[in-house]
Amino acid sequence: MERPLIAIFNGPNLNMLGLRQPEVYGRTTLDDVEQLCAQAAERLDVGIDFRQTNAEGELVSWIHECREMARGIIINPAAFTHTSIALLDALLAVDLPVIEVHISNIHRREAFRHISYVSKAAVGVICGLGVQGYTLALQAMTDIIMNEETQ
Ligand code: DQA
């Protein structure tokens, strides 16, 4: 049987991971995160499509693509988390399980980061656990997909 595909999408400035505010986000680069996810996916026997963009519209289009190609979406929408109704609407439109990930604990930070528009579309949110949040999300998403299959 074909492996289920899980999309892992990253929003603006996450291409700067490792260089950007290391005291908040650590020194791991986005390439390292992709590697960690690829290794976890191998263990879990799922496929991943790992991408990053700085453009909101591109993220919206990628989410639409998932309707046909993916079984679930893991997304770190970065700053769009706190601003984008378009992203929320796109996630609601595709009707797939969504897990929202943040590297930092957004609730310990500035008040404007405490609001997430995206959470309304998410089955769960992982924040504050560093880049490990991505692999935890992959594990959780795999469980969700497996449960769908046994129902
Ligand atoms: C972030 C938190 C956001 O508030 C911020 O805009 C980011 C990264 C995180 O992963 O901790 O760019 O999503």
Side-chain angles (χ1 to χ4, degrees):
M1 217 168 75
E2 223 175 271
R3 290 170 155 198
L5 187 75
I6 299 172
I8 308 177
F9 292 160
N10 295 279
N13 302 304
L14 289 168
N15 56 313
M16 302 285 287
L17 212 59
L19 298 172
R20 165 193 190 207
Q21 294 182 277
E23 69 289 358
V24 177
Y25 299 113
R27 299 224 173 254
T28 310
T29 67
L30 197 64
D31 282 347
D32 296 333
V33 177
E34 183 170 4
Q35 285 281 321
L36 289 172
C37 288
Q39 286 161 10
E42 205 53 46
R43 279 196 307 276
L44 294 163
D45 201 26
V46 294
I48 59 168
D49 184 348
F50 190 100
R51 306 186 198 178
Q52 187 276 333
T53 177
N54 293 320
E56 184 177 6
E58 190 162 35
L59 214 41
V60 168
S61 300
W62 287 353
I63 292 167
H64 294 170
E65 276 176 38
C66 285
R67 212 185 152 88
E68 301 299 320
M69 74 163 202
R71 295 286 301 279
I73 302 174
I74 295 170
I75 185 164
N76 182 347
F80 296 147
T81 309
H82 319 298
T83 61
S84 181
I85 297 168
L87 224 48
L88 168 64
D89 285 348
L91 290 168
L92 291 172
V94 290
D95 202 22
L96 288 170
V98 174
I99 300 179
E100 178 184 347
V101 172
H102 300 284
I103 296 164
S104 65
N105 181 352
I106 53 176
H107 301 290
R108 271 188 140 178
R109 302 183 63 195
E110 303 95 323
F112 63 82
R113 294 186 204 274
H114 300 175
I115 305 288
S116 166
Y117 285 104
V118 171
S119 294
K120 199 170 167 37
V123 288
V125 181
I126 298 174
C127 82
L129 299 180
V131 298
Q132 197 199 353
Y134 285 83
T135 50
L136 293 171
L138 257 179
Q139 168 76 65
M141 186 61 82
T142 304
D143 288 350
I144 290 167
I145 293 168
M146 294 307 165
N147 281 336
E148 282 173 356
E149 277 170 13
T150 55
Q151 267 168 22

